[in-house]
Amino acid sequence: MSMLEEMIGLLTGRFSNAEQAAELQKQNPAFPLAEHRNTACNDKIRNLPEGFAGVFVVEESYYTAQGATHASPHLFLFTEEGEGVRLTSYEIPAGYDKNAFTYDGMQPVDYRDLAPSKKFTPALYRKKDGVWEGGSTSLFTPTLKFTLFERFSPEVLEVSETMEQGGRRVFGYDQPILYKRIR
């Protein structure tokens, strides 16, 4: 099995942090109940280059805190790079609502119309002691910094995301969100 196949196998499916949220919301009601639905979507992308070795994934993320749910969809491309796997964020295809983009609602799109995000610094993941880990730091504006660090194993997807505005955290949690696969 290639590194890319292993990573995609870990990341695709449905995941929830329900177990963690139930415990942490007792102390912090603002800690979210979060769900990821990750679906490989090369089947919906026309005109991929001959021999294209990457895998596009639609990530549908839903965060519920204090009675409100917020969707945060993404389109990612995973490719093997050296001894690791690179995640490149892509813009949501033209014509789609960036807050309601889903795999099920995705119609075929042309590869030539897809554009990598100019704001997101690609993340590189390497396997260390049986666990994939990596991340990146992106400057969305001169004063808005996004930091991503993730660890992936068959047991859990551990995701830490923070946003800082002028050095002050405006989004993120003191501990990573721990997603477990929904069977």
Side-chain angles (χ1 to χ4, degrees), residues 124-142:
L124 186 63
Y125 299 86
R126 290 196 168 89
K127 196 169 185 181
K128 181 179 174 183
D129 299 326
V131 176
W132 287 92
E133 62 179 40
S136 69
T137 299
S138 304
L139 285 176
F140 288 179
T141 70

Side-chain angles (χ1 to χ4, degrees), residues 14-161:
R14 289 185 61 208
F15 303 88
S16 171
N17 77 329
E19 183 179 312
Q20 177 192 36
E23 186 61 33
L24 293 181
Q25 286 175 349
K26 294 173 188 172
Q27 291 86 30
N28 178 5
F31 192 85
L33 170 63
E35 184 178 329
H36 277 326
R37 296 177 194 160
N38 300 327
T39 310
C41 65
N42 284 18
D43 60 315
K44 294 195 176 192
I45 301 175
R46 297 184 313 256
N47 298 314
L48 287 169
E50 189 171 325
F52 185 77
V55 177
F56 280 95
V57 172
V58 173
E59 177 188 89
E60 302 168 44
S61 299
Y62 303 94
Y63 302 94
T64 302
Q66 298 178 312
T69 299
H70 169 74
S72 180
H74 298 281
L75 178 63
F76 294 125
L77 172 62
F78 292 87
T79 53
E80 284 194 26
E81 184 172 295
E83 295 297 313
V85 174
R86 179 184 176 112
L87 175 155
T88 303
S89 182
Y90 271 69
E91 299 295 337
I92 299 296
Y96 290 94
D97 178 344
K98 68 179 185 174
N99 297 310
F101 181 64
T102 66
Y103 174 81
D104 289 340
M106 183 180 180
Q107 297 300 311
V109 297
D110 195 299
Y111 172 77
R112 297 168 293 197
D113 294 333
L114 298 176
S117 169
K118 291 180 178 146
K119 295 178 182 178
F120 182 83
T121 301
L124 186 63
Y125 299 86
R126 290 196 168 89
K127 196 169 185 181
K128 181 179 174 183
D129 299 326
V131 176
W132 287 92
E133 62 179 40
S136 69
T137 299
S138 304
L139 285 176
F140 288 179
T141 70
T143 61
L144 184 61
K145 180 172 83 170
F146 174 71
T147 304
L148 171 70
F149 182 77
E150 300 177 301
R151 294 173 44 89
F152 306 133
S153 70
E155 293 78 33
V156 66
L157 307 182
E158 180 180 319
V159 179
S160 294
E161 298 173 302

